[in-house]
Amino acid sequence: MTDLDQRPATGHGLADALRRTAPALSVYAGVRALGLVVLAVWGAAAGKSPHTLLSARWDSLWYTRVADHGYGWEVTLPDGSVHSNLAFFPLLPCLERALSAVSPLSYADAGLVVSAVASLCAAGGIFAVGDRLYGSRAGVCAVALWAVLPVGIVQSMAYSESLFTALAAWSLYAVLTGRWVTAGVLASLAGLTRPVGAAVVAALWVTVLLDARRRGGLAARAALGALLAPLGAAGYVLWVGHRTGGGLFGYLDVQEQWGNGFDGGYAFARFIGEKFTSVPGALAGIGLIAGVAGLIWLYVTCVRQRQPAALLVHTGVVVALALCASGYFGSKPRLLMPAFPLLLPLAVTLARLRTRRSAWILGGLAVAGAVYGAFWLHGSGPP
């Protein structure tokens, strides 16, 4: 099948869509509930509050400070570098502030609610993409695989990954179904959520160009969607540049102060190389190399699977930005979470197995992921 994006939609109406999506959402909710239970048990044994771990550590604190005080808060480190909250895109803190204003929830609790709802929306979007391309069983398996990721606990934190993945998945689905304006609006919102929103914009632009080439001209709604897509990210980046006086590069200067940048993967390669100075470090280095090789293999498999261009472009940009960034190496696994199309080849394979066998596999992965997530979140560094 070469024109997967031309496959007719199944079902009629919202009720049918919800009924079709329900198994995927049920599986997703079950996996995430397991992760939270394991986290609670681990937290009780360690004397740490699961609520604090999920809502009031690392990036979560920066988002709630933006919601509470707006932009302009910063910390000066002993080495003289300045960590400014301008590094954090505004959609999540805006939603936290809005929800807190109409409810008794604190900003932190509002962030947890937004993340919980967004994660379900992300699961629905991942299912919609998988279902359209490879059928409902593959769609459910793709959602399950996304839920059982070792860093899946982040999906339940007051972080922006779930919100971004939801917007990205539904924007990509809109691209696959030719809803250009919807895709553009969702891409723009994704660009207000995380810097990697550029991946969604690129996916839409490439697909619009391919569509124009096929049609022999650019459709008006496709052009409008392409124009809308970058407005969110561009608007925020330009605003930061104006506020800091750095112009077009103001946001990059803010990120540089945080130690973030794009060096083509040199810093990450050096980080891996430095692991080979001891036996335990060498084992970790081998694991990192195997992980990178696995990502490349999955992407090549996606290409061979003939995934639509929108998915390949989105995934490629997300992976490139995650692996080639120069800072926060421990955060790279969660930065890869929006690259959910990488899971589709595995989902198709699982969907071909007997239900009982695939359930046992996913169940085992869910338990392992829940345990690892609790261990990871109780660590000293940010996920």
Side-chain angles (χ1 to χ4, degrees):
M1 189 179 299
T2 57
D3 277 327
L4 291 172
D5 56 335
Q6 298 301 313
R7 177 179 169 178
T10 57
H12 301 282
L14 180 60
D16 286 339
L18 290 175
R19 190 179 304 112
R20 191 172 181 83
T21 309
L25 296 182
S26 298
V27 169
Y28 179 78
V31 173
R32 291 279 24 97
L34 174 63
L36 294 176
V37 169
V38 172
L39 178 65
V41 172
W42 194 302
K48 293 185 178 181
S49 166
H51 180 268
T52 299
L53 292 174
L54 293 171
S55 66
R57 294 187 74 185
W58 306 305
D59 290 11
S60 301
L61 289 173
W62 287 90
Y63 283 120
T64 56
R65 283 169 183 151
V66 173
D68 194 10
H69 303 293
Y71 285 104
W73 195 86
E74 59 187 30
V75 175
T76 302
L77 302 184
D79 64 359
S81 61
V82 177
H83 285 188
S84 168
N85 63 3
L86 289 169
F88 295 87
F89 276 50
L91 186 57
L92 176 57
C94 284
L95 292 175
E96 290 177 341
R97 188 178 184 88
L99 182 56
S100 182
V102 298
S103 72
L105 296 173
S106 66
Y107 294 126
D109 289 337
L112 290 179
V113 172
V114 171
S115 183
V117 174
S119 67
L120 286 171
C121 292
I126 292 169
F127 170 78
V129 172
D131 178 32
R132 182 171 184 83
L133 297 180
Y134 307 112
S136 61
R137 283 177 62 89
V140 172
C141 289
V143 169
L145 288 170
W146 192 68
V148 304
L149 288 173
V151 294
I153 191 65
V154 173
Q155 298 162 17
S156 299
M157 297 177 69
Y159 271 42
S160 60
E161 272 74 14
S162 291
L163 179 60
F164 177 79
T165 304
L167 293 167
W170 283 109
S171 179
L172 292 172
Y173 179 75
V175 169
L176 295 180
T177 55
R179 296 175 172 86
W180 303 113
V181 176
T182 299
V185 170
L186 292 174
S188 185
L189 290 173
L192 284 171
T193 307
R194 296 190 62 80
V196 75
V200 191
V201 176
L204 175 56
W205 281 359
V206 168
T207 308
V208 166
L209 290 175
L210 292 175
D211 181 74
R213 180 181 178 182
R214 183 168 56 246
R215 291 173 177 269
L218 185 61
R221 295 184 68 82
L224 179 57
L227 288 173
L228 290 172
L231 294 184
Y236 181 68
V237 168
L238 291 174
W239 179 80
V240 170
H242 173 74
R243 184 180 177 110
T244 62
L248 292 175
F249 302 102
Y251 182 77
L252 296 180
D253 294 337
V254 170
Q255 285 285 8
E256 185 178 1
Q257 288 287 305
W258 277 83
N260 290 326
F262 188 88
D263 63 0
Y266 172 76
F268 187 41
R270 187 175 61 183
F271 172 77
I272 295 175
E274 290 172 351
K275 295 292 184 182
F276 290 90
T277 58
S278 65
V279 174
L283 294 176
I286 293 172
L288 289 170
I289 292 174
V292 173
L295 287 173
I296 295 172
W297 175 79
L298 282 173
Y299 188 76
V300 171
T301 304
C302 290
V303 174
R304 290 177 175 174
Q305 195 181 39
R306 306 186 75 174
Q307 286 186 10
L311 301 189
L312 295 176
V313 171
H314 167 79
T315 303
V317 174
V318 171
V319 171
L321 290 177
L323 296 184
C324 297
S326 58
Y328 292 91
F329 304 118
S331 298
K332 291 189 182 295
R334 71 172 172 89
L335 299 180
L336 289 165
M337 282 204 306
F340 68 88
L342 288 174
L343 302 173
L344 290 176
L346 301 177
V348 170
T349 300
L350 279 174
R352 291 170 179 163
L353 300 178
R354 293 182 180 272
T355 301
R356 179 176 295 182
R357 178 173 295 183
S358 60
W360 274 108
I361 293 172
L362 291 170
L365 291 174
V367 171
V371 172
Y372 180 78
F375 165 77
W376 191 46
L377 205 54
H378 280 82
S380 59

